[in-house]
Amino acid sequence: MPRKLFIAGNWKMNTGLPDGIELAGKIRDASGANEAVDVGVAPPFVYLREISQVLSQSPIRLGAQNMYCEDNGAYTGEISAEMLKDVGCRFVIVGHSERRHVLGENDELINRKVIKALSDGLDVILCIGELLAQRESGQTNEVVTEQIKIGLEGVPSVCADGKSLSERLTVAYEPVWAIGTGRTATPDQAQQVHEMVRTLLADMYNATVADEVRIQYGGSVKPGNAAELLAQSDIDGALVGGASLKAEDFIAIIEAGVGLKK
Ligand code: PGA
């Protein structure tokens, strides 16, 4: 079975409430249920509830950009998986490069978040990706392998709800040097890493999980490069930052995926 694409917009610390609502409304109106692509948006925490209402009758998935791995307690400033579900989230982005490199998260913490999100019923987008210096010194595969191995340590191939990990987990390969820089990995560069990740998942789990799991590419995805990236055999969607803040651009990226119908 071909993998259905998953295109998600990561709004990061952008939009206010009125423009966030407007953006979500435009995306909702332009992208109905479709066979080729799942669509998601991850607004800032404080707007999730309102955006959830905007998307309530639509197939667009609502996600959060981060969460903490405990249920409740003395964790000032943090948000739990249950809280995210309360406001309508279906997925959470874990291990984004800005969480790793600006906010100092390490693979062990990211692993605890992945485990908690999956066991509490949130789907996960697990982000991985190398720094420019790591790519230039030939360490890309090693870095990405370690991020996957530690990030998924102790995560079983079947989740507690009985669903396959491949239904609940998406991996997002986002080379750090391509995020927000306008510098995109070439389709070949991205495909090579995606293929390597899929092989690694086959070793860690089994061929079915590896074959079914969706691997998104992220890093300066735009209307002009989306089709070429999404056409690669192991690229199953996109995690879109900057271009997801403009409804027309995000919709054009979704349409590029629909046009491909893998
Ligand atoms: P970008 O961000 O599309 O602005 O490069 C991608 C991301 O950080 O997920």
Side-chain angles (χ1 to χ4, degrees):
M1 262 241 304
R3 291 176 293 271
K4 188 174 181 181
L5 298 177
F6 181 17
I7 295 178
N10 171 12
W11 295 4
K12 309 191 183 187
M13 200 172 75
N14 292 301
T15 76
L17 184 55
D19 47 325
I21 289 176
E22 191 186 330
L23 177 58
K26 284 187 180 165
I27 297 166
R28 174 201 60 202
D29 295 345
S31 54
N34 83 60
E35 285 165 32
V37 181
D38 287 326
V39 177
V41 292
F45 285 136
V46 289
Y47 306 139
L48 285 169
R49 195 181 176 84
E50 282 86 355
I51 305 287
S52 158
Q53 282 158 6
V54 175
L55 300 177
S56 65
Q57 301 303 320
S58 95
I60 297 174
R61 301 167 186 212
L62 184 71
Q65 300 170 19
N66 182 32
M67 58 164 260
Y68 196 55
C69 47
E70 297 290 339
D71 290 325
N72 48 49
Y75 304 104
T76 302
E78 296 296 331
I79 309 266
S80 73
E82 286 299 330
M83 292 169 185
L84 294 177
K85 285 200 305 179
D86 270 352
V87 292
C89 285
R90 178 161 168 196
F91 72 91
V92 60
I93 299 170
V94 177
H96 189 277
S97 79
E98 287 140 25
R99 302 292 325 165
R100 293 176 185 267
H101 300 296
V102 183
L103 284 309
E105 292 194 10
N106 62 23
D107 284 317
E108 286 71 21
L109 176 61
I110 290 162
N111 174 244
R112 288 169 61 204
K113 293 184 179 193
V114 170
I115 291 172
K116 186 64 177 160
L118 290 173
S119 73
D120 281 9
L122 284 175
D123 293 346
V124 168
I125 296 180
L126 171 62
C127 300
I128 55 167
E130 80 288 359
L131 297 162
L132 183 59
Q134 292 168 327
R135 172 159 286 264
E136 286 176 342
S137 59
Q139 289 176 283
T140 299
N141 288 5
E142 196 185 312
V143 169
V144 164
T145 298
E146 176 152 308
Q147 289 171 334
I148 291 271
K149 281 198 167 158
I150 304 178
L152 294 177
E153 201 171 310
V155 176
S157 62
V158 178
C159 297
D161 62 1
K163 289 190 179 161
S164 165
L165 180 61
S166 56
E167 257 186 84
R168 306 279 316 279
L169 174 77
T170 299
V171 176
Y173 169 58
E174 300 200 298
V176 180
W177 47 272
I179 296 179
T181 58
R183 188 174 163 190
T184 321
T186 65
D188 272 358
Q189 282 175 322
Q191 166 59 26
Q192 268 174 28
V193 178
H194 282 229
E195 194 179 339
M196 192 273 293
V197 168
R198 207 176 296 286
T199 307
L200 176 62
L201 292 170
D203 286 349
M204 289 169 64
Y205 293 100
N206 54 57
T208 312
V209 167
D211 191 46
E212 290 176 355
V213 80
R214 295 189 285 191
I215 309 177
Q216 295 173 321
Y217 169 77
S220 299
V221 176
K222 298 183 202 74
N225 59 25
E228 207 187 356
L229 286 160
L230 294 171
Q232 301 300 309
S233 57
D234 288 295
I235 300 186
D236 313 309
L239 185 55
V240 186
S244 74
L245 297 170
K246 279 200 201 138
E248 316 76 67
D249 286 0
F250 190 56
I251 291 158
I253 293 169
I254 297 165
E255 279 167 1
V258 174
L260 286 165
K261 278 213 175 205
K262 282 198 182 180

